[in-house]
Amino acid sequence: MEVKNQLYITFTQFAMSLGRLNGLSIFETKLVLEKSYVLHPHAELLLTSLKNIEETDVEDFKFLFNECIRICDELGPSREYITLLMILESIANEIGENPSLRQSQLAQDIVFKFREEISLINQKIPKPPLYNMLLETRSLLEWTSIYAIYPFIPKRVEGNGRPVLLIPPYLGDDYSTSFVRRYLESLGFKTYKWELGFNMVKSHYIPRLEEKLDDIYEKHKEKVSIVGWSGGGIFAKIMANRHPNQVEQIITIASPVWGVMDMKTPVYGVLEFFQGKSLKERNKRFLHELEPIPEVPVTCIYTKTDGLVPWKHCMEAESYRKGIKNIQVFGSHSGLGANASVLMITANALSANINGIIIKDSTPYIERILYPFYWSSKKWNFLKKKSNLVQSS
């Protein structure tokens, strides 16, 4: 966390230097940054660093640029860097809209260079380790045990007939989402299958999905929530980007929602074997369309023991705006469709976003033991108590 704090402080100085370099006053640049910082999860830290900044702190522009990139590289790949880019773009746009400032092109060039450097850092996400790939065999246990576990899964959410479209994973069909659909239906949601056979993650599915989305929307006269597992989440995000007026929200389950063009995964080998052509070459435009963050609420469910998709690709940028949430679960990639915690999170997220409530990482009930968030908080409290005991002694 200390390194991340240093990133925010250095980035604030760098952003201020960008404004000053292009003719904005300290006051004008601070106003632009305040608008971007106020909704950030670390707003208090960012606003404090902004408040305490002095003009002498922003003089060495090149050093601050290089220092930002160095810290980002040290922290490693992260989708959250898109927020830093958004903030720099807001400064560059402010300069571009001011006719009295003549260096707007320089600002755009700097933002472009920053984007390039961040892109290179984000290409370093490794493919899942062999250990995680071997752990995928536990999906057999997950799919067989769900029959015994399902009757005991709590039902604390009311769907009230709200429409939900479910899209299966790569090589999966509607059977893959059967437990998720069954659980949501038991809560009162109206679920819809995708009905396009096995999902081969091809762009030609999109027109038929658009027709289905339009039919469901017209039938209910209200927006449709979309739940996509793995490759299904790719389509969910594209539908949300294309039709925000018809999509209530999207929930992705272990879905690569960004950086897919550079993603390292054994799944690509399978895709190319079956279809005889590079996925990047075949679906370049399709995958580029996946990059923008939809305007609708986004919930990303992921597991750090994913053996098929690098888990960092399955997280969206929570710092980008409100309404974006990443939630970690225990489980294999192939078994998430039969994972009790996934079923409950999906239902809770659907209900929370529909009702404008903040999604919680876990619940106060007994099922909280299923979530990594619960155990990491317990570990933190234990370490904190241990630290206090050491200090008092």
Side-chain angles (χ1 to χ4, degrees):
M1 188 63 186
E2 185 177 342
V3 179
K4 185 170 285 189
N5 290 351
Q6 186 58 46
L7 171 61
Y8 291 140
I9 294 170
T10 305
F11 174 79
T12 299
Q13 294 173 339
F14 166 57
M16 288 291 295
S17 71
L18 176 62
R20 295 290 290 121
L21 182 69
N22 290 278
L24 289 177
S25 68
I26 288 284
F27 177 74
E28 289 172 324
T29 310
K30 281 187 175 182
L31 285 180
V32 176
L33 289 176
E34 282 176 358
K35 293 177 184 177
S36 301
Y37 283 1
V38 71
L39 297 178
H40 197 282
H42 301 288
E44 186 177 351
L45 172 65
L46 287 165
L47 291 171
T48 300
S49 65
L50 185 60
K51 182 180 179 181
N52 295 334
I53 205 166
E54 302 291 341
E55 191 158 356
T56 54
D57 297 327
V58 301
E59 291 178 351
D60 197 338
F61 173 80
K62 290 184 178 179
F63 170 79
L64 292 171
F65 177 90
N66 291 329
E67 190 67 3
C68 269
I69 297 302
R70 182 192 68 78
I71 297 173
C72 288
D73 196 28
E74 184 178 334
L75 286 169
S78 173
R79 177 61 161 169
E80 298 297 334
Y81 298 145
I82 192 174
T83 305
L84 304 185
L85 279 166
M86 178 187 68
I87 293 170
L88 292 181
E89 286 170 354
S90 66
I91 295 175
N93 292 337
E94 184 77 13
I95 295 167
E97 293 171 3
N98 192 331
S100 66
L101 302 174
R102 299 180 179 178
Q103 299 187 48
S104 59
Q105 185 56 50
L106 174 60
Q108 296 293 344
D109 290 344
I110 291 167
V111 172
F112 179 78
K113 179 62 176 175
F114 193 86
R115 183 185 293 108
E116 277 191 328
E117 293 291 341
I118 291 300
S119 177
L120 290 173
I121 292 171
N122 281 339
Q123 288 176 23
K124 297 178 182 178
I125 300 176
K127 68 179 181 180
L130 178 61
Y131 177 73
N132 282 7
M133 293 170 64
L134 294 175
L135 279 177
E136 283 298 311
T137 55
R138 68 195 149 139
S139 63
L140 296 174
L141 177 62
E142 289 169 313
W143 278 98
T144 53
S145 63
I146 189 64
Y147 290 96
I149 296 172
Y150 182 83
F152 303 100
I153 301 176
K155 299 177 180 179
R156 299 192 176 95
V157 170
E158 294 183 2
N160 298 317
R162 301 299 290 263
V164 183
L165 173 63
L166 292 102
I167 307 178
Y170 170 63
L171 293 181
D173 60 5
D174 286 317
Y175 176 78
S176 306
T177 60
S178 57
F179 279 104
V180 184
R181 283 186 286 107
R182 178 181 170 187
Y183 182 65
L184 295 179
E185 287 169 359
S186 72
L187 298 173
F189 291 96
K190 176 59 178 175
T191 66
Y192 291 88
K193 302 176 183 178
W194 100 310
E195 298 179 315
L196 295 175
F198 290 101
N199 184 358
M200 301 301 292
V201 192
K202 293 182 178 180
S203 56
H204 71 241
Y205 291 125
I206 293 179
R208 285 179 282 180
L209 274 174
E210 289 178 314
E211 290 179 10
K212 178 173 282 291
L213 175 64
D214 190 60
D215 289 343
I216 299 172
Y217 179 78
E218 288 301 319
K219 179 179 180 179
H220 288 263
K221 303 300 181 184
E222 60 182 333
K223 292 183 178 182
V224 182
S225 298
I226 305 179
V227 178
W229 175 16
S230 189
I234 292 176
F235 291 112
K237 191 174 180 185
I238 289 175
M239 288 296 102
N241 276 325
R242 287 193 179 189
H243 305 285
N245 295 329
Q246 292 183 319
V247 177
E248 178 76 42
Q249 62 180 303
I250 64 169
I251 297 176
T252 63
I253 304 170
S255 301
V257 292
W258 70 279
V260 177
M261 287 295 292
D262 301 304
M263 188 173 68
K264 304 173 184 68
T265 167
V267 176
Y268 274 153
V270 177
L271 279 164
E272 292 174 14
F273 176 79
F274 277 110
Q275 300 178 13
K277 195 175 183 181
S278 167
L279 176 65
K280 293 181 182 179
E281 181 184 348
R282 186 178 64 254
N283 285 330
K284 189 173 182 179
R285 185 183 298 174
F286 168 51
L287 295 177
H288 274 305
E289 194 176 354
L290 179 67
E291 288 300 305
I293 299 176
E295 298 174 4
V296 305
V298 178
T299 306
C300 297
I301 302 170
Y302 69 99
T303 169
K304 288 189 175 182
T305 55
D306 197 313
L308 299 181
V309 178
W311 60 270
K312 283 193 174 184
H313 284 289
C314 301
M315 300 174 66
E316 197 49 275
E318 290 185 341
S319 60
Y320 190 78
R321 60 163 173 78
K322 287 184 176 180
I324 298 175
K325 184 71 174 177
N326 299 311
I327 301 178
Q328 184 187 354
V329 298
F330 293 120
S332 67
H333 180 96
S334 305
L336 293 181
N339 187 303
S341 59
V342 171
L343 268 60
M344 287 186 286
I345 288 172
T346 301
N348 290 337
L350 287 170
S351 178
N353 284 325
I354 288 171
N355 295 301
I357 302 170
I358 296 175
I359 303 169
K360 296 180 180 179
D361 293 271
S362 63
T363 72
Y365 306 106
I366 185 64
E367 62 266 21
R368 67 185 183 277
I369 64 173
L370 297 174
Y371 302 100
F373 176 85
Y374 170 75
W375 293 107
S376 57
S377 63
K378 293 279 284 185
K379 180 180 178 181
W380 168 250
N381 290 333
F382 172 76
L383 292 174
K384 192 174 181 181
K385 288 179 182 178
K386 189 174 181 180
S387 176
N388 290 336
L389 286 172
V390 171
Q391 290 176 6
S392 62
S393 60

